[in-house]
Structure formats: structure tokens, C-alpha cells
Amino acid sequence: NALADCNKALSLDSNLSKAYDNRAAVYERQHEYKKEIADCDLAIKANPYDANAYDSRGYALVELGMPQKAMEQFDKATSIDAHYWHPYFSRGCLYEKEKRYQDAIRELGKAIDLNPAAAALYDHRGFAYGQLGKFQNEVEDYSNAIKTDPKNALFYLNRAFAYGKLGQYAKSLDDANKAIELDPKSARAYASRGFAYANLGKNENAIADYNTTEGRTKCCPVLCRPGLAV
């Protein structure tokens, strides 16, 4: 497995910073954030210019409830490599968590400039726009996320909600249908479609969808941090 491979690599070369980075990523997926930080420390010791290690350490600190220290790590990462997109994403996510949505939009925009193929960036920025009442911008960002990853049900669901805020219920219905097609177990997708049906005067359809939400699961959220490439 991934953890065993990282351990083997480090047994062969204890100064291999990339192996520490990758093992930290495994610990992150296992929610073992203190172990993640320990490996980031070792990665930085092996390579003080490892921007990814600072970024990963920042993420772990966020999860451990230390946002100020986390921001220092993201700042360090961008000072080392201003062209590495992920620390801007991490900073944007932290601002989003703190409800500093304008700051989040700025940082996510920087990340998008550096990596326009990352769908999650548009999704997060769309959310921030929505929190500021900029619903057309919200729709546009979810549309960009869909263009980048057209098989992700969450992006259609989010755009369905955004269209609903704009009163564009037919478009909201179309997106809710697509979200259900991609994720038939999503309670939120049926609730979204029910809302669209209700606002289009199709009350029986709306009631049926609201009833269908019972026993369904929620849509899986987009992970804030994608896995590290080996």
C-alpha cells in the first residue's frame, strides 16, 4: 500500500523529502494530522525549500484548530514558490472557513490563474460568490467547474441551487436532474429538484421528490486537498 511504499523509500534514503511529503498525504487521508505534521517537519528538514511540505503542514494545523499558524505555513509556501497553485487554494479555503469571502475569492482567483484545470477551485470560489450574493458569478464558476469535471454531481447540484437563487427554475430543474443521474442517492439533489418543481407550479412532482429524500445520503463534498502525485 501507499504507506508501506513510503516507508520503504525512506528506509533506502532518509533524506528523500518527497517520500515524507507522500507519507504525510497518506496520514492526511487517514486524519492523523499530528503524524502528518511530523512528516512535514522531516520533509522540510531534508529540503527547506519544499513548498508542498509547508502547505501540507498548514492544512494539518487548520484541522487541529490552529488557523493563524496554518496561515503562516501557507504564506511560507507561496514565498518559496509563487507559481505553486495549491497554497493559494489552501489560503482561500481557510478564508472561506473564516467567512472572509472576498479574501477567499482573491486567493482562489490566484490559484485558478496558475491551475485553470482544477475544478474544485471554481467550486469553492462559486460558493464564496454565493455567500456575497453575487449569484451570476456563482453560476459562472460552477459552470467552469462542470466544464472541467462534467461527471461530478456536486457541481450540477451547486449550480442548481444558484439558478434557484436567480429565479431561473427551469435551469435549476435541469441541473438537479443531472445531479440525480450522476448520484441517485443524493438527498440534496432530490430536495433541489423538489424546490424547482414547486416554483414551476408542479406541486405533485415536488412532493414526490421531497418524499424521496427520506433515506437518501448527502452528496459527497469536494475534498479541499487533492492527493499528492508521486
Side-chain angles (χ1 to χ4, degrees), residues 149-201:
D149 183 4
K151 298 296 184 182
N152 192 314
L154 183 62
F155 300 155
Y156 290 98
L157 175 59
N158 287 344
R159 193 171 67 176
F161 283 123
Y163 276 134
K165 296 172 191 175
L166 290 169
Q168 298 179 24
Y169 301 115
K171 290 182 177 179
S172 179
L173 177 61
D174 288 341
D175 274 353
N177 280 328
K178 186 64 176 181
I180 290 167
E181 176 188 326
L182 293 169
D183 184 4
K185 294 183 178 181
S186 169
R188 291 179 63 217
Y190 286 98
S192 177
R193 191 171 70 176
F195 177 78
Y197 274 138
N199 281 280
L200 290 169

Side-chain angles (χ1 to χ4, degrees), residues 52 55 59 74 83-91 111 114 224-226:
N52 183 76
D55 183 46
Y59 177 83
F74 301 145
H83 300 290
Y84 178 36
W85 66 276
H86 206 282
Y88 298 105
F89 181 32
S90 299
R91 216 158 40 191
L114 293 167
C224 196
R225 286 180 54 79

Side-chain angles (χ1 to χ4, degrees), residues 6 22 36 43 50 62 65 74 146 150 173 215 220:
C6 292
N22 286 335
E36 179 182 5
D50 185 347
V62 170
F74 301 145
I146 289 167
L173 177 61
C220 294

Side-chain angles (χ1 to χ4, degrees), residues 198-220:
N199 281 280
L200 290 169
K202 299 182 179 181
N203 295 324
E204 291 185 6
N205 299 79
I207 290 170
D209 271 348
Y210 288 138
N211 290 338
T212 304
T213 63
E214 296 179 6
R216 300 281 176 174
T217 61
K218 293 182 179 179
C219 251
C220 294

Side-chain angles (χ1 to χ4, degrees), residues 31-210:
H31 308 293
E32 297 187 65
Y33 301 115
K34 291 182 179 179
K35 289 184 179 180
E36 179 182 5
I37 289 172
D39 267 356
C40 290
D41 292 343
L42 292 169
I44 291 166
K45 182 178 180 181
N47 177 13
Y49 299 100
D50 185 347
N52 183 76
Y54 286 101
D55 183 46
S56 297
R57 189 161 66 180
Y59 177 83
L61 288 166
V62 170
E63 294 301 312
L64 292 173
M66 292 180 273
Q68 184 172 350
K69 289 185 177 181
M71 192 63 76
E72 292 171 1
Q73 300 303 305
F74 301 145
D75 291 344
K76 181 66 175 180
T78 56
S79 72
I80 290 171
D81 185 355
H83 300 290
Y84 178 36
W85 66 276
H86 206 282
Y88 298 105
F89 181 32
S90 299
R91 216 158 40 191
C93 288
L94 180 52
Y95 283 138
E96 182 183 309
K97 187 180 180 79
E98 295 176 339
K99 299 183 179 181
R100 294 171 59 180
Y101 298 117
Q102 197 61 56
D103 291 328
I105 289 167
R106 183 191 66 244
E107 294 302 311
L108 291 165
K110 292 176 183 177
I112 288 168
D113 288 342
L114 293 167
N115 187 12
L121 301 178
Y122 298 105
D123 184 59
H124 277 272
R125 192 174 68 174
F127 173 80
Y129 275 129
Q131 295 303 302
L132 294 176
K134 298 181 178 181
F135 303 133
Q136 189 58 51
N137 297 94
E138 182 182 12
V139 165
E140 289 171 4
D141 264 349
Y142 292 144
S143 296
N144 285 324
I146 289 167
K147 288 177 185 177
T148 307
D149 183 4
K151 298 296 184 182
N152 192 314
L154 183 62
F155 300 155
Y156 290 98
L157 175 59
N158 287 344
R159 193 171 67 176
F161 283 123
Y163 276 134
K165 296 172 191 175
L166 290 169
Q168 298 179 24
Y169 301 115
K171 290 182 177 179
S172 179
L173 177 61
D174 288 341
D175 274 353
N177 280 328
K178 186 64 176 181
I180 290 167
E181 176 188 326
L182 293 169
D183 184 4
K185 294 183 178 181
S186 169
R188 291 179 63 217
Y190 286 98
S192 177
R193 191 171 70 176
F195 177 78
Y197 274 138
N199 281 280
L200 290 169
K202 299 182 179 181
N203 295 324
E204 291 185 6
N205 299 79
I207 290 170
D209 271 348
Y210 288 138

